[in-house]
Amino acid sequence: QVQLVESGGGLVQPGGSLRLSCAASGSILSINTMDWYRQAPGKQRELVAGISSGGRINYADSVKGRFTISRDDAKNTVYLQMNSLKPEDTAVYYCNVQGFSDWDIPFGSWGQGTQVTVSS
């Protein structure tokens, strides 16, 4: 069983910055992809950014140039640095991690979500 713990959300003014973290723990053999999603009220959950075990990165067009995803494999942690935040970035942010457990069984886990609110 793999657990994810997110942190770093909060209230920030437009133009401000936040850094989200998501730490995975449990019976982990290896981690493949680590992604950040977000869901705004009344909208579907959308992929914000993702990073593979090989370091390949992709971003949603709406956050390119403002958000940076990174990972620390020694800590089984993924980060999302968010700069130049806009009110439309307001959402609950979720991390999703996929990999293999100690028994070579594939897993996919979601974090509990962290609220990001961008408002003056």
Side-chain angles (χ1 to χ4, degrees):
Q1 190 175 3
V2 177
Q3 300 83 36
L4 303 182
V5 177
E6 299 179 26
S7 60
L11 173 64
V12 64
Q13 292 186 342
S17 299
L18 284 174
R19 189 192 194 208
L20 305 183
S21 300
C22 173
S25 63
S27 303
I28 299 171
L29 177 63
S30 64
I31 293 177
N32 295 333
T33 59
M34 306 182 87
D35 301 322
W36 286 98
Y37 287 77
R38 68 185 180 187
Q39 187 167 19
K43 294 187 177 181
Q44 289 189 335
R45 190 172 296 189
E46 63 173 353
L47 178 65
V48 176
I51 183 168
S52 72
S53 56
R56 186 169 62 183
I57 293 173
N58 62 285
Y59 295 102
D61 288 343
S62 58
V63 306
K64 283 181 180 177
R66 300 187 299 120
F67 290 11
T68 302
I69 189 171
S70 61
R71 58 191 282 172
D72 184 337
D73 289 333
K75 297 180 179 179
N76 289 335
T77 299
V78 61
Y79 306 95
L80 187 67
Q81 177 66 44
M82 304 184 294
N83 299 328
S84 302
L85 283 160
K86 304 175 180 180
E88 50 264 44
D89 294 319
T90 296
V92 178
Y93 284 70
Y94 300 89
C95 61
N96 177 268
V97 174
Q98 299 183 36
F100 289 89
S101 71
D102 285 348
W103 298 273
D104 209 19
I105 297 173
F107 73 86
S109 297
W110 287 93
Q112 80 280 7
T114 185
Q115 177 71 46
V116 172
T117 303
V118 185
S119 175
S120 55

